[in-house]
């Protein structure tokens, strides 16, 4: 899950299996659903049980890999990716390219998660180039 963006059908199947296990589903009958699945996936502090929504969890793991790309640009695997997918630009502005691999498409999804939720923190201002 930390390398590839999994298909939506797989997320639904995993969430369905978890819900069936939690609610005590059998082939002949199903038990009462005491609460909706999205409510069970909420944090414990918000009244839920804290189950993971696998779609969100997968994107968070991909975003973690993208963060590693940004923080360790001299790592060998990052240099390989840079040479193949973004030789003349930064990772944050890289395009998909002509024939991207499934892994690269997955990293782009993780990068989009970072760019949608990241913000600048000024701190003492020494690293800001004005």
């Amino acid at each position: 899950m930390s390398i590839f963006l999994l298909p939506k059908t797989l997320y639904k199947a995993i969430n369905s299996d978890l819900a069936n296990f939690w609610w005590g589903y059998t082939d002949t009958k199903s038990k009462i659903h005491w609460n909706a699945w999205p409510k069970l996936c909420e944090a414990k502090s918000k009244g839920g049980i804290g189950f993971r929504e696998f779609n969100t969890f997968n994107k968070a793991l991909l975003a973690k890999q993208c963060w590693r790309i940004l923080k360790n640009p001299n790592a060998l695997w990052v240099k390989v990716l840079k040479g193949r997918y973004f030789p003349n630009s930064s990772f944050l502005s890289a395009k998909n390219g002509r024939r991207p691999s499934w892994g690269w498409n997955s990293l782009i999804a993780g990068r989009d998660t970072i760019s949608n939720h990241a913000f600048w923190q000024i701190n003492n201002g020494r690293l800001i180039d004005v």
Side-chain angles (χ1 to χ4, degrees), residues 24-92:
Y25 174 82
T26 62
D27 289 338
T28 57
K29 68 175 193 171
S30 60
K31 294 186 178 178
I32 296 173
H33 295 191
W34 293 104
N35 219 333
W37 185 251
K39 179 69 176 170
L40 295 176
C41 290
E42 286 184 2
K44 291 179 184 178
S45 62
K46 294 182 179 180
I49 295 182
F51 289 148
R52 295 195 178 180
E53 188 67 39
F54 279 92
N55 184 18
T56 308
F57 186 57
N58 184 213
K59 287 183 181 179
L61 290 174
L62 290 171
K64 184 177 180 180
Q65 294 298 334
C66 293
W67 187 254
R68 288 180 177 161
I69 290 173
L70 294 171
K71 288 298 179 183
N72 301 317
N74 293 324
L76 179 61
W77 69 280
V78 177
K79 288 181 180 181
V80 170
L81 285 176
K82 182 166 180 62
R84 172 71 171 98
Y85 293 108
F86 56 103
N88 301 321
S89 65
S90 71
F91 175 66
L92 293 175

